[in-house]
Structure formats: structure tokens, C-alpha cells
Amino acid sequence: LGRYGSIIGIGHSYGSAELAYLADTHPQDLAAVIMSGSGHRVSVQTTSQTTTLFAPAATVLPARFGHLDPGYITTINAHARLAVLYDPRYVGPAVLNYDTATEDTLPIGEAETRPPNLAADTVQLMVPTLLIDGQSDSHYCDGAQTVPESDLDDCSSGLALYYSERDNYPPCFAAAVVQHSGHDLSTEQGAASAADTMLRWTWHTLPPNGQHARCSIVGAVDG
């Protein structure tokens, strides 16, 4: 870690899975972990959307991405982006328009590097870990889908999410649920609450000028 001291790793969605793999395989690199927009079972709706609502970026936006090969994909339009990333009740049109206008690509080859068994990594984590999801995250939360699915995480509260996921995590595990938010925590109405919850957990876990992370919170971290 050198001059950076203790580091807390933060990931979102696909990035959370990659972070879990990093923290498992290089446990000395991170003092604590925050995984957002994550879960151990992906909804059938989300799995289907990754097939039907994405297309080669060169076809969707040829002016911007016409030079890319078909292995780079993006959402087919703003309605698709809304369906995949958001709960429509909690995102403003200006945010959605800006997100769509600045959307980037997803390389299929990169997506295939997602760890196939997330629990195999998260259960091995040796550092304090926080899982934070939007209450209406249709990727992972039971009942958030257009056609409700069972056996997904219970995101009705931080405590419910904790009990849904605790067997997949180390003993020092905490969970939080953000109201007024779907999958994209940082751009929906619950963004400020999500940031506040992560900061409060961070201050308890690795206080300013602290040298080592501590297991200060186990269970729910509700706002």
C-alpha cells in the first residue's frame, strides 16, 4: 500500500464482483470492502434484459462508436437504459437524459471475467464488509421486478438484507438498504442517503487517522 496507508475498496454492480475477487485473492491490499448494487442471485428479468436491451454500440450510436467492433455493446435506447438501471419512480428526466447522452460501452470480453461464483469469493473475505443495495433494485431484490420473482434478496430493510446474505459473507458483515433507489444508487433520489450511509460505516470502521480497520458494525446499517 505504500504511502496510501489503509484502503477501503468500493465497487458497484459488476465492479462489486470484481472487487470481491480482488479482496479474496489479494487480502493484504484492502482494509475493508463496500459492495453496492450487488447480490448472489441475479433476477431472471435482468438476465433477459442483458440479451434483449443491448446491441453493438457501433449499430446503436454509429457517430460515436462506429469504429468499434461488435464486441462492444450498449443499451439500445433511453427506455432500455431506464429499464436496466433504474426504478422509474426515483430518477428525474434530466438525469436519465444526461446518462443516456454520455453512455459508454460494455466489452463482452470484460463482462465474461465476472467471477462465476460470487459467494466463493465473498465468504473468504477477511476484512469488514458492507453490502448496500437500493430497496427497488430489480437485479437482486425480491419483488422489484416487473413480474415479481421469489428467492432473491429481501431488501425491505437493512436487517432483512443482512439475513438474506449473511451466509455468503465473513463474520464482520453489515448490510444497508437505500429507499427511493433502484440499481443505480448514485443517480437516483436516494443518492445522498446512500453516500451518507457509506460514510458513516467508513468512519466507524476506519476512523480518520486510524491505522487499522475494526469490526464496529455487524447487522443492519439503516439510514
Side-chain angles (χ1 to χ4, degrees):
L1 301 179
R3 64 188 177 88
Y4 294 105
S6 297
I7 295 175
I8 295 179
I10 304 176
H12 179 72
S13 194
Y14 165 84
S16 288
E18 295 296 321
L19 175 65
Y21 176 76
L22 171 65
D24 178 18
T25 55
H26 297 79
Q28 72 281 358
D29 287 355
L30 297 173
V33 168
I34 298 176
M35 298 175 62
S36 68
S38 186
H40 283 81
R41 182 177 180 274
V42 182
S43 69
V44 174
Q45 174 178 298
T46 297
T47 301
S48 174
Q49 287 173 338
T50 58
T51 301
T52 60
L53 299 184
F54 285 79
T59 302
V60 177
L61 295 169
R64 288 175 59 192
F65 301 123
H67 61 289
L68 298 178
D69 69 58
Y72 292 83
I73 61 175
T74 193
T75 45
I76 58 176
N77 53 40
H79 294 293
R81 201 162 188 82
L82 179 66
V84 172
L85 297 178
Y86 298 100
D87 184 314
R89 296 172 296 177
Y90 305 132
V91 59
V95 171
L96 180 61
N97 291 339
Y98 182 80
D99 185 17
T100 303
T102 57
E103 67 184 277
D104 208 337
T105 62
L106 171 66
I108 294 176
E110 179 182 341
E112 291 175 348
T113 67
R114 188 184 194 275
N117 184 354
L118 182 60
D121 290 314
T122 56
V123 76
Q124 297 294 328
L125 299 181
M126 303 299 293
V127 296
T129 302
L130 170 66
L131 171 65
I132 179 167
D133 283 338
Q135 190 172 49
S136 300
D137 189 330
S138 61
H139 293 215
Y140 305 106
C141 295
D142 192 1
Q145 297 69 38
T146 303
V147 178
E149 301 173 27
S150 59
D151 299 326
L152 298 171
D153 285 338
D154 183 348
C155 298
S156 59
S157 68
L159 189 61
L161 180 59
Y162 169 78
Y163 282 119
S164 291
E165 286 279 357
R166 64 176 178 173
D167 290 342
N168 297 313
Y169 282 93
C172 190
F173 170 60
V177 163
V178 181
Q179 297 183 3
H180 305 125
S181 185
H183 183 65
D184 215 1
L185 291 174
S186 64
T187 52
E188 295 182 270
Q189 291 177 13
S193 177
D196 178 69
T197 298
M198 287 187 280
L199 283 172
R200 284 190 291 107
W201 180 86
T202 296
W203 287 332
H204 281 286
T205 302
L206 188 64
N209 301 318
Q211 297 299 312
H212 303 284
R214 60 191 186 187
C215 186
S216 296
I217 303 176
V218 173
V221 192
D222 283 329

